[in-house]
Amino acid sequence: MNEAIQLILFLGLLAVLSPLLGKFMAKVFMGEKHMMKPVLGWLEKLVYRLSGIKSVEEMNWKTYLYAVLLFNLFGFVFLFVLQMLQSYLPLNTEKLPNVSWHLSFNTAMSFTTNTNWQSYSGENTLSYLVQMLGLTVQNFVSAATGIAVVLALIRGLTRKTTDALGNFWTDMTRGVLYVLLPLSILLTIALVSQGAVQTFSHYVKATTLQGPEQVIPLGPAASQIAIKQLGTNGGGFFNANSAHPFENPTPFSNFLELFSIIIISAGLVFTFGHYMKSKRQARAIFITMFALFALGLAISLWAEYGHNNMLNVSGSMEGKEARFGVMNSVLWSVTTTVTSNGSVNAMHDSLSPISGMIAMFNLMLGEIIFGGVGSGLYGIIIFIILTVFIAGLMVGRTPEYLGKKIEAFEMKMTILAVLAPAIVIKIFSAIACSVPAGLSSLNNAGPHGLSEILYAFSSAAGNNGSAFGGLNANTVFYNLMIGFGMLIGRFGIIVPVMAIAGSMAEKKITPVSSGTFRTDNWLFVMLLIGVILIVGGLTFFPALALGPIVEHFLMNLGIGF
Amino acid sequence: MKTQTVIALKFLLVMTILCGIVYPLLMTGVAQLSFPSKANGSLIKKDGKIIGSELIGQKFDSTIYFWSRPSAIGYNPIPSGASNYGPTSDTLRKLVEARRQLFAKMNSIENVLSIPKEMIFTSGSGLDPHISPEAALMQVGRISLARHFDKNQQEKLLEKVKEMTEAPQFLFLGEQRINVLLLNFALDKM
């Protein structure tokens, strides 16, 4: 009963609050009056002045993309160097050594691409300084980068015969100041009130009741956890991520964090609606995402509550926390994988085969069911273009979206963006399966071992960051492979998306007529869901059949490895 | 293009100061002022000495204490972590079977399938501070015997378990649970 109430409350709040946040964000990014302007307007001007930004000067797609890439490159280099020098820098209370070059590379790539894959374990690898100056900052700006890119694409789709796509720096500044920062401040305070730690003290030594000593790690965790959830980042302050009692102390903190994971991505769909001046178009996208989310959730709940003949138990608690129970663990696993968040409150490696598969399949679809902040929306717009194109082929009509003709160039870019992550998942996994360096990291044998590898590269390519954590990923091989996987998964999509934005902006808008193929009705929602599932299904079904699906049947027969 | 390079560097610096220094410092200030105990780890002291954190589970496997959940890291928090055994792991099957047998034997339970699930599976963090009230109640008999409690004291212990059971938050969020460290702390005082 309680399970049902929590589920309905979560889904209900999502449906009610995302249009409101979407409207607010539309005002922010269109430069209109909004409630945060009187509070933080001075700071916006200050950031422009200090950085030398001319906020009204608009950019064409090449300049915009150049700014995106350059800013991310600098962020990467800074974070990489910061980790490699941490032992010489202040705020290293536990005297941690410098991070190895390959782990620094992986973590820097992980945080600049908004993946936040954890090869590191926070409490014994990274100093407070690196967590703040490095990880927290990238949590903010990588999320804002996603929002900026989708804003450029939205402008490209809704403006006509222009090359102006907005100003990257202005979009970044507004995203951080008016959206991410205020929400993070509220969430931080709420989390601390539940017991999340926020301090600069040394780790504490305790003498336990039974005798042995226990070292209790501390740190400025709550402030980082807040943005880690809101920015769909997901990299934990501690190794156990949001299963750790200091990151996620109570069921209420769990609910707040869970909701924070999805709300901005969902809100941005409605922001798009305001730019299009069409609530119906936005609603069609939202319903598509919501339906795919609910479908995955239903299957995952069914599988996780099902019986495991191997262990003779229904609803296993392996890798789950007692305060959350099975339902909250499954809800989190689906929410964190449809969005590209990747934080976990239960270990995905220990989920039932089909629940683990749903999580993995969400990653493989390319993080477009709500997805990462910004990246989820530009991801699904790519699929919308693909759907419109396929529908156009079927009826023999020139495909159009929002009155813009879709031509050869856009289709090439679209296919590039669809293929980039798929190539990473399949080819990188195949390499890892065929070399000793790939296989020696496995924690589980049999089909579950394949799932561990497959999940790792799906997570990298989708910029998700969650893991089948048994895989020992802190090796030269995996740090490099996953690092490059994240790079391709992020910029292999951003570059074609920006090219589409540029080419769409220059086109005319054909007025709506009776011959227009509509993209705001139920028929289109069904088509879009079909295309997403067929593309995802055809690409990945063979691999999934060898991993989680065969494991499910073996589990039913009671066969283990 | 050159202007963009300069802006990129300056903007990164400004964001690093704002999000990497000002924001965490401000939050630490607010947290320390409004929730000092929680912000510093909800530490529990006894005679001036820190005995642990309310939120971080400890290893309890002695007959005179309520047991905590099994942990993949033995409740050593540096670093936290889980077993990550998959659902068809033979190792996990053997561990679960052994834990069932041990818990049943120590607490004189006839049906091993009635043992609450959290007592046979390790948690996600390895530091789970809670068990279910059912799991606590099953251990009362064993503890009373080990501590030579009389009928009256055993009744009181049962009462204590019921008293310290936390309902789901706001009555519907999360699970019913009991904090093992706090319970054992109270037990020592009885």
Side-chain angles (χ1 to χ4, degrees):
Chain A
M1 186 60 204
N2 282 349
E3 274 85 0
I5 298 176
Q6 293 175 75
L7 210 55
I8 292 165
L9 187 72
F10 177 77
L11 296 176
L13 277 179
L14 177 64
V16 172
L17 291 182
S18 39
L20 297 178
L21 183 65
K23 190 175 175 190
F24 169 73
M25 289 192 287
K27 285 183 182 168
V28 166
F29 294 117
M30 288 170 167
E32 291 173 9
K33 269 195 198 143
H34 56 84
M35 61 178 188
M36 291 309 294
K37 195 106 182 175
V39 190
L40 288 170
W42 61 274
L43 193 55
E44 186 187 352
K45 284 188 196 120
L46 184 67
V47 171
Y48 294 154
R49 210 174 59 231
L50 290 175
S51 323
I53 297 166
K54 295 192 184 83
S55 65
V56 287
E57 213 166 73
E58 300 230 346
M59 300 171 172
N60 64 23
W61 77 269
K62 282 181 183 155
T63 313
Y64 202 105
L65 178 61
Y66 179 75
V68 172
L69 296 178
L70 202 64
F71 178 69
N72 277 276
L73 176 69
F74 289 153
F76 168 80
V77 172
F78 176 69
L79 181 49
F80 179 64
V81 174
L82 191 67
Q83 294 174 77
M84 294 200 32
L85 299 178
Q86 75 169 0
S87 74
Y88 312 118
L89 299 169
L91 269 181
N92 185 351
T93 55
E94 306 313 307
K95 309 222 167 2
L96 298 167
N98 292 332
V99 182
S100 72
W101 67 270
H102 53 93
L103 182 55
S104 300
F105 167 81
N106 184 282
T107 308
M109 196 59 92
S110 170
F111 276 75
T112 38
T113 57
N114 197 252
T115 310
N116 318 84
W117 168 269
Q118 271 178 262
S119 268
Y120 67 92
S121 22
E123 55 270 63
N124 64 357
T125 318
L126 301 178
S127 71
Y128 292 172
L129 187 82
V130 173
Q131 297 257 21
M132 285 163 56
L133 279 192
L135 306 195
T136 305
V137 173
Q138 283 304 322
N139 278 348
F140 275 99
V141 295
S142 68
T145 299
I147 298 179
V149 170
V150 82
L151 286 172
L153 178 61
I154 290 174
R155 294 191 187 109
L157 289 169
T158 52
R159 292 176 176 180
K160 56 187 172 188
T161 53
T162 174
D163 66 349
L165 292 176
N167 184 308
F168 173 66
W169 308 112
T170 310
D171 291 337
M172 288 289 288
T173 308
R174 288 179 179 162
V176 170
L177 288 190
Y178 296 131
V179 181
L180 299 173
L181 206 52
L183 288 173
S184 298
I185 290 174
L186 292 180
L187 185 58
T188 304
I189 296 169
L191 290 179
V192 175
S193 82
Q194 297 299 302
V197 291
Q198 181 72 23
T199 169
F200 288 99
S201 307
H202 282 261
Y203 292 4
V204 170
K205 277 201 182 99
T207 314
T208 60
L209 274 196
Q210 271 200 178
E213 201 170 72
Q214 187 185 43
V215 178
I216 298 174
L218 297 168
S223 56
Q224 188 178 320
I225 298 158
I227 184 60
K228 133 188 158 181
Q229 307 300 18
L230 286 160
T232 56
N233 297 285
F237 194 93
F238 302 109
N239 190 42
N241 207 293
S242 289
H244 199 290
F246 278 165
E247 285 209 18
N248 193 1
T250 66
F252 183 52
S253 70
N254 189 69
F255 190 86
L256 289 176
E257 289 185 31
L258 196 57
F259 196 67
S260 306
I261 288 176
I262 202 165
I263 186 64
I264 296 183
S265 298
L268 279 169
V269 175
F270 293 97
T271 306
F272 184 30
H274 285 274
Y275 275 89
M276 292 184 286
K277 297 192 180 66
S278 165
K279 280 196 182 133
R280 282 182 62 97
Q281 296 277 3
R283 226 175 279 152
I285 299 176
F286 184 83
I287 289 170
T288 304
M289 291 173 160
F290 196 89
L292 286 166
F293 174 56
L295 184 67
L297 182 60
I299 298 173
S300 194
L301 280 170
W302 164 79
E304 197 59 27
Y305 277 109
H307 195 74
N308 183 330
N309 284 339
M310 268 285 292
L311 307 170
N312 200 6
V313 71
S314 301
S316 151
M317 281 295 284
E318 185 70 20
K320 298 190 182 74
E321 298 284 299
R323 61 194 178 283
F324 305 140
V326 174
M327 200 288 290
N328 275 308
S329 302
V330 174
L331 178 58
W332 187 299
S333 81
V334 179
T335 309
T336 195
T337 50
V338 291
T339 63
S340 78
N341 183 280
S343 65
V344 293
N345 76 347
M347 297 305 130
H348 291 188
D349 215 346
S350 301
L351 289 174
S352 65
I354 298 298
S355 299
M357 181 185 78
I358 292 294
M360 204 186 317
F361 191 62
N362 287 334
L363 313 178
M364 289 168 164
L365 291 181
E367 297 298 3
I368 52 169
I369 311 170
F370 298 109
V373 288
S375 60
L377 187 55
Y378 64 65
I380 201 155
I381 292 174
I382 289 293
F383 270 88
I384 290 174
I385 293 176
L386 190 62
T387 307
V388 168
F389 176 73
I390 292 171
L393 284 184
M394 287 194 286
V395 293
R397 194 191 285 160
T398 318
E400 274 175 16
Y401 181 50
L402 304 177
K404 302 255 181 181
K405 280 206 174 70
I406 295 176
E407 290 162 300
F409 178 74
E410 289 82 40
M411 282 323 295
K412 278 183 205 156
M413 292 296 129
T414 298
I415 293 304
L416 202 63
V418 172
L419 284 183
I423 286 171
V424 170
I425 297 171
K426 303 206 88 172
I427 296 190
F428 282 30
S429 298
I431 295 172
C433 286
S434 32
V435 296
L439 296 170
S440 62
S441 283
L442 293 182
N443 183 47
N444 284 283
H448 202 79
L450 174 65
S451 299
E452 284 185 338
I453 292 177
L454 212 51
Y455 197 102
F457 290 108
S458 305
S459 179
N463 291 150
N464 182 275
S466 66
F468 271 17
L471 184 81
N472 172 23
N474 188 12
T475 63
V476 178
F477 176 80
Y478 275 107
N479 276 335
L480 290 181
M481 291 283 281
I482 290 174
F484 285 112
M486 295 187 282
L487 181 71
I488 299 169
R490 179 76 164 176
F491 296 102
I493 298 179
I494 284 185
V495 173
V497 161
M498 286 304 303
I500 292 173
S503 122
M504 289 299 230
E506 282 167 10
K507 293 178 197 243
K508 291 193 290 259
I509 292 182
T510 326
V512 181
S513 69
S514 61
T516 308
F517 178 72
R518 296 186 52 179
T519 51
D520 60 355
N521 56 12
W522 282 102
L523 178 66
F524 185 73
V525 169
M526 291 301 161
L527 269 174
L528 181 55
I529 291 176
V531 168
I532 289 170
L533 289 180
I534 288 168
V535 169
L538 286 184
T539 315
F540 299 110
F541 183 75
L544 291 173
L546 294 174
I549 294 177
V550 76
E551 191 189 9
H552 173 75
F553 290 116
L554 291 171
M555 179 186 81
N556 282 347
L557 295 171
I559 299 173
F561 295 89
Chain B
M1 293 289 156
K2 205 177 150 193
T3 27
Q4 300 304 330
T5 315
V6 177
I7 294 176
L9 282 171
K10 283 186 184 168
F11 188 71
L12 181 62
L13 183 69
V14 171
M15 284 296 127
T16 303
I17 293 168
L18 181 67
C19 304
I21 298 175
V22 176
Y23 162 70
L25 284 183
L26 182 73
M27 290 295 92
T28 308
V30 172
Q32 291 291 334
L33 284 177
S34 36
F35 306 99
S37 158
K38 285 181 170 163
N40 291 312
S42 310
L43 301 174
I44 307 171
K45 285 183 184 163
K46 187 173 124 188
D47 313 324
K49 263 178 38 186
I50 296 170
I51 60 155
S53 160
E54 195 183 321
L55 293 172
I56 302 293
Q58 296 187 358
K59 187 173 182 174
F60 286 108
D61 53 3
S62 146
T63 50
I64 60 163
Y65 282 122
F66 288 96
W67 289 3
S68 43
R69 294 182 64 177
S71 158
I73 51 168
Y75 286 96
N76 168 19
I78 313 290
S80 51
S83 75
N84 281 308
Y85 288 128
T88 53
S89 160
D90 265 333
T91 321
L92 180 61
R93 169 158 62 181
K94 283 175 200 144
L95 284 170
V96 164
E97 206 37 53
R99 287 177 197 141
R100 272 186 177 133
Q101 295 306 332
L102 181 67
F103 193 87
K105 194 178 128 209
M106 298 300 288
N107 300 294
S108 320
I109 294 161
E110 277 171 25
N111 177 10
V112 292
L113 293 181
S114 70
I115 301 170
K117 284 180 288 184
E118 76 278 4
M119 300 313 290
I120 51 169
F121 290 111
T122 62
S123 62
S125 60
L127 302 170
D128 195 342
H130 299 109
I131 58 175
S132 66
E134 293 78 29
L137 289 173
M138 283 180 177
Q139 303 183 55
V140 167
R142 186 239 314 152
I143 293 166
S144 302
L145 206 65
R147 290 192 176 232
H148 310 293
F149 280 1
D150 58 29
K151 264 260 152 26
N152 194 11
Q153 284 168 306
Q154 183 164 350
E155 277 304 311
K156 269 193 186 157
L157 187 54
L158 278 173
E159 279 303 309
K160 196 86 209 160
V161 170
K162 279 175 196 149
E163 182 193 315
M164 294 190 71
T165 298
E166 294 174 62
Q169 212 170 1
F170 315 132
L171 299 176
F172 68 94
L173 277 178
E175 305 288 318
Q176 224 188 22
R177 62 208 185 275
I178 191 160
N179 187 305
V180 185
L181 176 57
L182 292 182
L183 181 62
N184 283 328
F185 194 48
L187 175 65
D188 270 351
K189 280 186 187 160
M190 279 177 82

